Amino acid sequence: MRIGIVGLGRMGGNIAIRLTRHGHDVVVHDRSADVTVKIAGRCEENRAQAVASVAEMATALEGGRRIVWVMLPAGAITEACIQELKTLLSEGDIIIDGGNSYYKDDMRRAEELREHGISYVDVGTSGGVWGLDRGYCMMYGGTKDATDHIDPILAALAPGAGDVVRTPNRDGSNLDPRAEQGYLHCGPAGSGHFVKMVHNGIEYGMMQAFAEGFDIMKSKNSPVLAEKERFDLNMADIAEVWRRGSVVSSWLLDLTAEALAKSGELSEFSGEVSDSGEGRWTIEAAIEEDVPAPVMTAALFTRFRSRSGNNFAEKILSAQRLGFGGHVEKK
């Protein structure tokens, strides 16, 4: 298939490259002309066309049902791009938002675009900077017609079943086999980003639990304790042994172990931890639904606190965010 991709940052560029590795053709554009040329050059030979504008992309995709994947930061920049595309595309064309937009914005956009005959698909995309080789876990919402049409694109981006052991009893007729491949049609427009939003809220809580646990262990050698009660524990070795058969083994633990092996004190991190919005939106949804979410709420508030003084726990969080998403936080 042929698809346009707007925004070639940490994930957008790798999505374009991965698609060409799986036999698809891409038309790529970034606000930086140098980035556009660089990504086009990393794609498979003769499978990428670099363009200087969104309008030029719309023209280059003519000749069939046009598909444009927008991979930009959530908010005004994504909104502006989609509004521009609304004036350039035609009935039957498809706009995909693969960023981290607020799901209620997706619902509004889908309704607006429907009036013009344009389909809108929201794709919550997880995989960070590792997605090029590992593939992306995707949760998406939209009409069956539009999502079925782009299925070859999503299948190419997904990680596939790999060597993950099958979950027992997944042969029921009400279960979607695509979930085992790492991508899932969640429902109507907005549902994909809603599921990804909650995913990121859970991520906040998991990261915080690791961060606090390592901080407690590191502080076991604190002078506030009686000398006979102190342990001088090696954080890198503990992270490594937990990776081997422990019930808390995970990709987040892998990233923590990698960071600690490189720098036991994590002195390259300030400990000031950002939040990208999804944690806040998850808690807002919990409030609207009268669902208690104390762990995720506390994890979000801890990130707020980290910006006015921090400790080893926040440095663990920063190391994890750099590992899975390439997020560089100021020192």
Side-chain angles (χ1 to χ4, degrees):
M1 298 183 75
R2 187 171 173 82
I3 181 174
I5 300 177
V6 182
L8 305 174
R10 287 189 299 262
M11 291 181 69
N14 283 346
I15 283 172
I17 296 166
R18 184 174 174 88
L19 284 174
T20 64
R21 289 180 178 178
H22 287 77
H24 298 283
D25 297 319
V26 298
V27 180
V28 294
H29 168 68
D30 190 89
R31 65 181 179 178
S32 166
D34 290 342
V35 170
T36 303
V37 172
K38 177 182 177 181
I39 294 299
R42 292 181 59 198
C43 290
E44 294 298 301
E45 189 174 1
N46 300 321
R47 289 204 171 274
Q49 177 182 351
V51 294
S53 67
V54 174
E56 187 178 341
M57 174 180 290
T59 300
L61 291 169
E62 288 179 348
R65 191 173 187 182
R66 291 177 289 186
I67 308 168
V68 179
W69 183 302
V70 178
M71 201 65 181
L72 297 169
I77 186 171
T78 291
E79 184 70 29
C81 182
I82 290 172
Q83 293 303 321
E84 182 180 5
L85 284 167
K86 182 172 71 175
T87 69
L88 297 169
L89 300 182
S90 308
E91 184 173 355
D93 294 340
I94 301 171
I95 296 175
I96 301 169
D97 179 2
N100 282 324
S101 289
Y102 185 41
Y103 77 97
K104 291 185 179 180
D105 288 336
D106 294 317
M107 297 168 69
R108 170 183 54 80
R109 291 170 185 157
E111 185 63 31
E112 291 176 359
L113 292 168
R114 190 178 299 117
E115 296 175 1
H116 297 264
I118 300 171
S119 295
Y120 180 87
V121 179
D122 56 292
V123 180
T125 313
S126 182
V129 296
W130 299 86
L132 175 59
D133 297 316
R134 289 169 59 113
Y136 300 91
C137 173
M138 292 168 292
M139 305 130 266
Y140 55 100
T143 64
K144 186 176 186 302
D145 170 70
T147 57
D148 283 352
H149 185 75
I150 65 170
D151 190 81
I153 295 291
L154 301 175
L157 291 174
D163 58 0
V164 177
V165 177
R166 288 199 74 201
T167 300
N169 304 313
R170 273 207 58 89
D171 295 322
S173 59
N174 65 326
L175 299 177
D176 191 332
R178 290 172 295 190
E180 293 184 300
Q181 302 299 315
Y183 69 114
L184 178 68
H185 183 206
C186 298
S191 63
H193 277 151
F194 180 81
V195 173
K196 176 58 162 52
M197 175 188 81
V198 176
H199 164 282
N200 283 21
I202 293 170
E203 178 186 290
Y204 279 33
M206 293 174 65
M207 292 172 66
Q208 186 64 35
F210 275 122
E212 291 177 8
F214 278 97
D215 201 14
I216 291 167
M217 291 187 291
K218 183 175 177 58
S219 297
K220 187 58 177 168
N221 200 31
S222 170
V224 303
L225 299 173
E227 187 171 355
K228 65 180 180 180
E229 295 182 1
R230 298 176 195 173
F231 301 150
D232 186 10
L233 303 172
N234 188 299
M235 297 299 100
D237 284 345
I238 292 169
E240 188 63 32
V241 75
W242 283 359
R243 293 181 63 223
R244 315 286 172 167
S246 163
V247 296
V248 298
S249 59
S250 65
W251 188 23
L252 287 174
L253 181 58
D254 293 346
L255 297 171
T256 303
E258 183 177 343
L260 289 168
K262 181 179 179 181
S263 171
E265 295 298 318
L266 302 181
S267 56
E268 66 270 40
F269 297 101
S270 71
E272 295 185 16
V273 186
S274 301
D275 69 283
S276 53
E278 296 90 343
R280 302 182 188 214
W281 299 336
T282 301
I283 293 164
E284 288 174 5
I287 293 170
E288 291 174 355
E289 300 164 14
D290 292 336
V291 174
V295 172
M296 289 186 281
T297 302
L300 175 65
F301 283 11
T302 298
R303 293 193 179 199
F304 295 165
R305 188 199 61 75
S306 76
R307 297 163 208 165
S308 59
N310 46 76
N311 55 23
F312 191 73
E314 276 76 50
K315 293 183 179 183
I316 288 283
L317 293 177
S318 289
Q320 290 173 336
R321 294 184 84 240
L322 176 64
F324 68 73
H327 305 287
V328 178
E329 289 163 333
K330 64 181 181 180
K331 187 171 186 298

